[in-house]
Amino acid sequence: MPPHQRKFHLSTKGHCDVIDMTVHVATIVRESRVQTGIVNVSGRGSTLGITTLEYEPGCVADLRRALDRIAPPTSDYAHNARWGDDNGYSHLRSALIGTTKSFPVINGDIGLGTWQQIVLCDFDDSPRHREITVTVLGD
């Protein structure tokens, strides 16, 4: 089958806003009619992350708390000094989490665990409109 690619957009609040986008990705996988293959989920930008977690308030709060320890928003960053920005931590968090994830397609669906959801994390310091590209390859 030829590659199947779709984009969708999400509006975020910034400041480590975490949004479950599993349904969006699953819909695109089903549209592709691929039964066995791979789906790649890619966010456009250098201040966002794509990852998986159990999307429930406690786990989301734990992720935010961990990121605040690893890359606190109040620290002195060379990026801030260079560009006069206040979002150096956003770029660092994005680099650590990554902006792309791939998953298997099994029997026409995303091969995720029972409590595993695909999430977008917006690390920037203000609301954004984010573009997500989903590419499905396989048979």
Side-chain angles (χ1 to χ4, degrees):
M1 295 181 117
H4 181 81
Q5 188 174 77
R6 294 286 183 266
K7 295 178 183 178
F8 63 92
H9 295 85
L10 296 171
S11 293
T12 69
K13 299 174 189 170
H15 303 284
C16 208
D17 192 13
V18 179
I19 300 171
D20 182 1
M21 56 184 185
T22 310
V23 171
H24 295 289
V25 176
T27 298
I28 294 168
V29 168
R30 281 191 292 281
E31 286 174 357
S32 77
R33 298 187 179 191
V34 167
Q35 292 299 300
T36 303
I38 192 163
V39 57
N40 177 269
V41 182
S42 181
R44 192 172 194 177
S46 63
T47 58
L48 62 83
I50 294 179
T51 192
T52 63
L53 54 68
E54 181 177 349
Y55 187 74
E56 59 85 22
C59 194
V60 171
D62 292 340
L63 175 64
R64 287 181 178 135
R65 188 172 27 256
L67 289 169
D68 279 347
R69 288 182 183 143
I70 294 166
T74 57
S75 288
D76 181 31
Y77 292 95
H79 173 80
N80 295 355
R82 170 86 168 106
W83 297 106
D85 291 347
D86 288 325
N87 70 346
Y89 70 97
S90 304
H91 293 282
L92 182 56
R93 290 176 182 195
S94 178
L96 292 170
I97 298 294
T99 61
T100 301
K101 288 277 189 233
S102 293
F103 306 93
V105 175
I106 304 167
N107 297 321
D109 203 1
I110 311 167
L112 295 173
T114 302
W115 305 111
Q116 185 180 22
Q117 286 83 41
I118 304 168
V119 297
L120 168 75
C121 305
D122 187 347
F123 303 125
D124 218 336
D125 58 358
S126 60
R128 299 276 183 242
H129 297 288
R130 298 299 191 170
E131 180 179 278
I132 309 301
T133 303
V134 178
T135 306
V136 188
L137 301 169
D139 298 316

